[in-house]
Amino acid sequence: MTTPTVRRAVCPGSFDPVTNGHLDIVSRAARLFDEVVVAVGVNVSKNRLFTPDERLDMLRTACAGLDNVRVEGFTGLLTDFCRDRDIVAIVKGLRAVSDFDYELQMAQMNASLEPAVETVFVPTSPAYSFLASSLVKEVAAFGGDVSGLVPGFVHERLVQRLAERAAEAG
Ligand code: PNS
């Protein structure tokens, strides 16, 4: 008898910070695949609010209840990351038509590389269709209430970090 193949997928992103929209996609991917790796892009050249270790730490806490999900950092090409871990699919949430152009371009590029990796698009739940880490940070920086858009412990760290940044800026 042959051993059944494990169907492993990746949910990649910057996660600066993780939002409830991200977690919706990760949890749904976890129901579609045997295993899911949440891959946190740790490209040093980009200006982020949270360090790679902080983003990884927040995701690990947020995904702790999902048994078939693990969190890793990655640099370089996503398709190389997939080859090294026998990952067969990239799972991406699509919020609106505006996401589609860029996501289609990336999906087709990733399918054209060696190894070719397929992308599975999951429609974002309507409750999160406007949600983006960048907007969460902007609204929170101006004192808006984003407590319903990120996990509670992420909200605490976000408010604290923005206060630190504001103090630094004088
Ligand atoms: O949360 P983001 O910033 O939209 O995530 C973008 C990410 C990290 C998924 C994307 O930039 C990526 O896959 N980067 C890895 C480098 C790579 O493989 N580039 C070619 C993409 S076709």
Side-chain angles (χ1 to χ4, degrees):
M1 211 171 96
T2 55
T3 312
T5 312
V6 173
R7 307 292 289 174
R8 193 173 291 129
V10 65
C11 290
S14 307
F15 304 104
D16 185 43
V18 60
T19 69
N20 290 342
H22 292 132
L23 295 172
D24 173 52
I25 298 298
V26 170
S27 62
R28 287 160 64 199
R31 292 199 287 274
L32 290 171
F33 291 88
D34 299 319
E35 292 179 11
V36 170
V37 182
V38 179
V40 183
V42 294
N43 187 340
V44 285
S45 70
K46 289 203 180 171
N47 188 22
R48 302 289 184 198
L49 186 60
F50 292 98
T51 67
D53 280 345
E54 287 170 333
R55 285 181 274 139
L56 284 161
D57 183 50
M58 285 188 275
L59 268 161
R60 288 196 175 113
T61 303
C63 295
L66 299 168
D67 290 345
N68 60 339
V69 174
R70 68 172 195 266
V71 180
E72 289 186 41
F74 85 102
T75 54
L77 280 181
L78 184 59
T79 48
D80 289 341
F81 181 89
C82 292
R83 180 189 45 229
D84 295 346
R85 289 156 185 79
D86 290 327
I87 287 170
V88 296
I90 299 164
V91 177
K92 289 287 195 80
L94 277 189
R95 286 168 294 201
V97 173
S98 49
D99 278 344
F100 185 71
D101 276 350
Y102 183 51
E103 291 297 343
L104 178 66
Q105 198 178 14
M106 283 202 286
Q108 290 173 333
M109 177 62 87
N110 286 325
S112 77
L113 296 173
E114 185 55 49
V117 184
E118 293 291 354
T119 297
V120 174
F121 290 125
V122 175
T124 299
S125 297
Y128 304 123
S129 61
F130 61 93
L131 197 44
S133 296
S134 54
L135 273 185
V136 166
K137 287 182 283 192
E138 184 175 325
V139 171
F142 288 113
D145 181 9
V146 295
S147 58
L149 306 178
V150 295
F153 73 93
V154 172
H155 186 247
E156 281 172 26
R157 291 176 78 158
L158 178 62
V159 169
Q160 188 184 351
R161 177 58 45 87
L162 289 169
E164 288 163 9
R165 286 287 167 93
E168 282 162 24

